[in-house]
Amino acid sequence: MDYIDGYVAAVPAANKDAYVAIARDAGKVFLEYGATRVVESWGDDVPAGEVTSFAMAVKVKADEVVVFAFVTWPDKATRDTGHAKAAEDPRLNTGNVPPFDSKRMVYGGFQMVLDMSAD
């Protein structure tokens, strides 16, 4: 089954266009290096929790929106190779400051165990 990289971040609402532009550029690189799908989602209905929540995980501030994203890879080996290539790619290593606080981003790699759809 596929391998998934998942991400949750807090992005200032005013930086939406800049975030989408950077995500699009990174997505192109990941697809070039073996990813099969890149999905970026701008929070629309992300409730604040009392014990835990996406918002709490990334310490979202009043002017920020929670972003949920994932990248699908055919397997972990392809993902690991793709990440290594992306880390060296000058298109991603511009030295520009990202339009969000990347220190509060939560991310991880996941082995897919179930994949269902209506198709």
Side-chain angles (χ1 to χ4, degrees):
M1 288 202 136
D2 292 342
Y3 195 83
I4 307 295
D5 280 326
Y7 308 87
V8 179
V11 179
N15 293 353
K16 181 178 182 180
D17 291 341
Y19 177 82
V20 172
I22 285 176
R24 183 178 291 113
D25 291 345
K28 289 176 185 176
V29 171
F30 289 142
L31 290 168
E32 183 178 319
Y33 293 139
T36 58
R37 185 174 182 198
V38 176
V39 176
E40 293 281 346
S41 306
W42 193 256
D44 181 75
D45 184 13
V46 185
E50 292 183 26
V51 177
T52 188
S53 69
F54 282 121
M56 291 169 75
V58 295
K59 299 181 180 177
V60 71
K61 297 176 183 174
D63 66 336
E64 294 178 327
V65 175
V66 175
V67 170
F68 174 77
F70 65 91
V71 179
T72 304
W73 302 86
D75 52 54
K76 188 174 188 298
T78 303
R79 179 264 204 161
D80 291 347
T81 301
H83 271 226
K85 289 178 180 177
E88 300 297 321
D89 194 300
R91 294 172 291 179
L92 298 183
N93 295 307
T94 63
N96 294 337
V97 176
F100 65 99
D101 182 357
S102 60
K103 292 178 184 174
R104 291 186 284 136
M105 182 170 67
V106 178
Y107 58 91
F110 302 85
Q111 293 181 348
M112 188 182 294
V113 296
L114 180 67
D115 184 6
M116 298 172 64
S117 70
D119 297 340

